[in-house]
Amino acid sequence: MKGIKLLALSLFSTAFLSFTPISKKYIIIDAGHGGNDLGANHSGIYEKNITLNIAKEIQKLNEKQEKYEIVLTRTSDAFPTLTDRTNQINKLNPELVISLHMNSNPEKETAKEGQEIYVQNTDGSRNLAEKISKKFGSCEIKERNLHILRESKSPAVVMELGFINNKKDREYVSSEKGQKEIAQKFVEVINEYP
């Protein structure tokens, strides 16, 4: 009887241990800048805070979704280097990467406004940019040779959320309402992907 119990336990253990859980699919949201790197700033409003707030809101809004898990490159006012960020990205091998930033113009207060998306010359990066552009209402898409785009092995875009030295853009992206609306649009893009 003892032998049968051991055999049953052995078979159960083998079956249990050989079960492979479904691998998670990740989306990485990179909140640009952080720590001593303030990013663009105007009137006491800092790019590093805007990008972190929106990244956290995206993660929060996506909590109940089962399709993808959102991972942030930073969750506090810290500054991971660009290499740290791309190492984390490539280790997780996410479905896509969205790096959040704010634009600035040399003028103190600029008439220039709106979002821009930077891509690498790859189909995955460009397709993601087009989906985001459609959701946000025709953003300008430009090719750029930026570290996070060049070194990420996954489809990646850098999204400039607006011009920090444009009053309308600045007020919108720094408001709680604006940040929630922006985050919601990204969650919709993520959950409609690919």
Side-chain angles (χ1 to χ4, degrees):
M1 187 68 173
K2 189 176 176 185
I4 292 171
K5 283 183 181 176
L6 283 173
L7 178 63
L9 184 61
S10 174
L11 288 171
F12 172 78
S13 299
T14 304
F16 182 76
L17 294 173
S18 67
F19 171 76
T20 309
I22 297 168
S23 60
K24 282 190 172 177
K25 290 186 176 184
Y26 298 104
I27 302 289
I28 292 197
I29 305 296
D30 173 48
H33 307 280
N36 292 330
D37 180 1
L38 308 176
N41 62 86
H42 193 284
S43 306
I45 295 170
Y46 300 105
E47 178 178 4
K48 68 172 188 170
N49 296 333
I50 291 169
T51 60
L52 183 60
N53 290 347
I54 292 171
K56 285 181 169 179
E57 188 65 27
I58 293 168
Q59 189 177 47
K60 182 178 149 193
L61 288 172
N62 197 70
E63 277 175 353
K64 293 186 174 97
Q65 302 296 333
E66 293 180 16
K67 191 173 179 183
Y68 298 115
E69 181 179 336
I70 304 286
V71 177
L72 308 182
T73 56
R74 67 182 181 97
T75 56
S76 64
D77 187 17
F79 178 72
T81 66
L82 290 173
T83 301
D84 291 340
R85 294 172 200 246
T86 51
N87 285 346
Q88 179 187 5
I89 288 165
N90 293 331
K91 184 178 173 187
L92 284 177
N93 190 29
E95 300 298 304
L96 58 93
V97 179
I98 300 170
S99 184
L100 304 175
H101 289 268
M102 285 297 299
N103 233 330
S104 187
N105 191 287
E107 299 168 32
K108 276 190 168 183
E109 193 69 43
T110 183
K112 195 157 187 185
E113 64 180 313
Q115 299 99 359
E116 293 178 342
I117 306 172
Y118 300 140
V119 298
Q120 277 288 92
N121 188 17
T122 65
D123 288 345
S125 182
R126 189 160 286 284
N127 288 344
L128 174 57
E130 286 167 3
K131 288 179 190 311
I132 293 169
S133 177
K134 201 176 284 182
K135 189 63 69 177
F136 279 83
S138 296
C139 312
E140 193 173 351
I141 299 172
K142 302 176 178 177
E143 278 186 34
R144 287 284 155 86
N145 186 22
L146 301 172
H147 179 91
I148 205 143
L149 298 175
R150 188 178 62 247
E151 301 301 322
S152 296
K153 292 175 183 166
S154 302
V157 298
V158 170
M159 174 83 172
E160 299 283 358
L161 299 164
F163 283 82
I164 204 159
N165 56 336
N166 175 284
K167 189 172 188 284
K168 180 181 164 194
D169 281 0
R170 181 175 61 252
E171 287 178 353
Y172 181 67
V173 297
S174 62
S175 72
E176 186 179 339
K177 178 180 184 282
Q179 291 177 1
K180 283 181 185 295
E181 286 177 1
I182 291 166
Q184 181 59 44
K185 286 179 183 178
F186 279 117
V187 168
E188 288 167 14
V189 168
I190 287 164
N191 287 293
E192 290 165 8
Y193 192 82

